[in-house]
């Protein structure tokens, strides 16, 4: 069945849109499984703590990339592939494109090298559709400052880093237009959801 991933800069609303799409699919009688990255397995959740914990502020970029790939490998093997094989639609809050942007572009490790690493980790699994929610770095920071919870290690990076992340997502959209659909995340939740539903219908034939 279909594998759909949700990507974007922090506070772009991707997690909210994943929840809305999952609810709509379930209401339509479709079998859906939602996962998040890093996480989704006991190993993945433990790695999530290492990656996002502010106590690990000084982390080598390659150590970061390898940890994300390790969590992803376990999630694909234990959860995503079995769900797809059973006929479920899998919705993932982040996947390989996050690594391509955050480590490949923003950390300067290179898109090609990060892609090669993750192709090995996932056995070549790629999404059928990737929805990228575009939001400017300044708007992202403003939303973060209005949130009650503190910032994790990645969120606390300087705004220049997050500008590179947003620019990186635009770059990936240009590189993979058949797979990636960009959506303006500055719209209302309802307007963004309507675009998500439209993309799923036009690109995958999913009717909700």
């Amino acid at each position: 069945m279909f594998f759909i991933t949700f990507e974007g800069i922090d506070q772009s609303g991707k997690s909210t849109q994943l929840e809305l799409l999952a609810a709509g699919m379930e209401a339509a009688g479709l079998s859906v499984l939602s996962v998040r990255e890093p996480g989704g397995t006991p190993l993945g959740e433990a790695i999530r703590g290492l990656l996002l914990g502010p106590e690990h502020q000084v982390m080598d970029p390659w150590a970061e990339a390898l940890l994300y790939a390790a969590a992803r490998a376990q999630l694909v093997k234990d959860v995503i592939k079995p769900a797809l094989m059973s006929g479920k639609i899998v919705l993932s809050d982040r996947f390989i494109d996050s690594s391509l942007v955050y480590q490949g572009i923003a950390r300067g490790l290179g898109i090609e090298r990060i892609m090669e690493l993750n192709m090995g980790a996932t056995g070549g699994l790629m999404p059928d559709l990737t929805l990228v929610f575009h939001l400017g770095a300044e708007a992202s920071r403003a939303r973060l400052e209005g949130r009650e919870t503190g910032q994790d290690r990645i969120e606390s990076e300087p705004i220049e880093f997050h500008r590179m992340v947003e620019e990186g997502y635009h770059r990936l959209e240009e590189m993979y237009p058949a797979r990636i659909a960009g959506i303006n995340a500055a719209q209302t939740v309802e307007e963004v959801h309507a675009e998500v539903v439209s993309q799923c219908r036009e690109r995958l034939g999913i009717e909700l």
Side-chain angles (χ1 to χ4, degrees):
M1 192 48 80
F2 296 119
F3 180 30
I4 304 173
T5 57
F6 293 67
E7 295 281 354
I9 196 171
D10 293 318
Q11 298 300 302
S12 60
K14 60 182 176 50
S15 301
T16 296
Q17 292 302 324
L18 186 154
E19 293 172 1
L20 289 173
L21 183 60
M25 287 181 167
E26 289 172 353
L30 300 173
S31 181
V32 184
L33 175 68
S34 300
V35 298
R36 73 170 183 177
E37 278 205 352
T41 66
L43 177 62
E45 292 298 328
I47 292 175
R48 183 184 183 89
L50 294 173
L51 283 165
L52 302 184
E55 68 273 19
H56 302 295
Q57 196 63 49
V58 181
M59 183 181 293
D60 181 82
W62 271 111
E64 182 179 87
L66 289 163
L67 284 170
Y68 274 111
R72 185 167 297 131
Q74 201 69 42
L75 181 64
V76 167
K77 177 181 179 293
D78 291 352
V79 181
I80 295 177
K81 281 189 175 178
L84 292 172
M85 290 179 65
S86 71
K88 292 183 178 180
I89 295 174
V90 177
L91 308 180
S92 183
D93 189 339
R94 296 198 181 282
F95 194 62
I96 191 171
D97 293 297
S98 284
S99 287
L100 297 180
V101 169
Y102 281 83
Q103 286 80 52
I105 295 175
R107 300 288 193 212
L109 300 183
I111 292 176
E112 295 79 10
R113 289 194 291 175
I114 296 300
M115 178 67 86
E116 182 179 2
L117 169 67
N118 281 274
M119 285 295 93
T122 65
L125 178 67
M126 290 295 287
D128 297 294
L129 172 62
T130 297
L131 300 166
V132 173
F133 300 90
H134 291 299
L135 185 69
E138 289 74 13
S140 169
R141 296 303 91 189
R143 290 184 181 184
L144 268 176
E145 290 171 2
R147 195 179 65 180
E148 294 182 359
T149 56
Q151 298 181 15
D152 63 35
R153 187 179 67 87
I154 302 296
E155 291 170 339
S156 64
E157 289 283 356
I159 193 167
E160 291 77 15
F161 176 84
H162 296 285
R163 288 194 183 107
M164 286 192 289
V165 167
E166 173 59 14
E167 291 170 3
Y169 276 118
H170 281 286
R171 182 176 168 187
L172 286 192
E173 187 179 347
E174 294 174 357
M175 292 175 64
Y176 307 109
R179 175 174 65 83
I180 298 179
I183 295 175
N184 177 10
Q187 304 176 93
T188 67
V189 172
E190 293 76 16
E191 289 170 334
V192 174
H193 178 61
E195 286 201 34
V196 168
V197 172
S198 176
Q199 290 292 341
C200 289
R201 180 178 61 252
E202 294 174 9
R203 292 175 179 252
L204 301 177
I206 299 174
E207 295 288 348
L208 299 180

